[in-house]
Amino acid sequence: MSATSAARLPAAGADRARLSQAGEPLDRQEAERLAKLLKAVADPARLRLLSIIHSAPEGEVCVCDLVEPLGLTQPTVSHHLKVLTDAGLLTRERRGTWAYYRSVPEGWSSLGALFG
């Protein structure tokens, strides 16, 4: 994971992400972080992108291979990928003219802890 991507994920324990088990309300910063995460996955195209990337045998997918399965234009796919990357669910690595995306385990953990 790149330092830039890691910096997007605020340090938060999995137990802090749970809404009700701690018995205390979320502070504003944690609520904003979780809202950003939930907004990022609250779109069918983004959920499909996450699923495709997370299940890739190589562990990563080139943006060039994501347009056709979604049936969306390249700029639209790139926008969705940026939202997911900014939320800390994906990392991006540029190689020449292409960008490759990987899942961020900590991002998935935050989602799982929220509902776990």
Side-chain angles (χ1 to χ4, degrees):
M1 177 186 329
S2 72
T4 305
S5 297
R8 288 191 189 108
L9 282 173
D15 54 282
R16 285 190 59 207
R18 294 185 187 211
L19 291 175
S20 61
Q21 288 200 348
E24 296 179 23
L26 294 172
D27 63 31
R28 182 182 184 112
Q29 182 180 6
E30 185 67 6
E32 288 173 0
R33 184 186 77 83
L34 291 172
K36 183 177 183 178
L37 192 63
L38 290 171
K39 284 178 186 179
V41 298
D43 181 281
R46 292 184 200 140
L47 286 174
R48 291 201 59 219
L49 282 167
L50 285 172
S51 174
I52 292 166
I53 294 166
H54 190 70
S55 64
E58 302 83 25
E60 66 182 10
V61 178
C62 176
V63 68
C64 61
D65 295 324
L66 294 170
V67 173
E68 186 178 328
L70 289 168
L72 300 172
T73 64
Q74 186 276 325
T76 301
V77 171
S78 291
H79 166 75
H80 288 306
L81 290 166
K82 181 179 180 347
V83 171
L84 293 168
T85 301
D86 289 347
L89 294 167
L90 298 176
T91 60
R92 176 181 169 232
E93 180 183 337
R94 178 149 314 268
R95 297 183 203 151
T97 59
W98 297 112
Y100 289 78
Y101 290 86
R102 289 183 164 274
S103 293
V104 175
E106 294 86 355
W108 289 86
S109 295
S110 289
L111 281 175
L114 180 61
F115 299 107

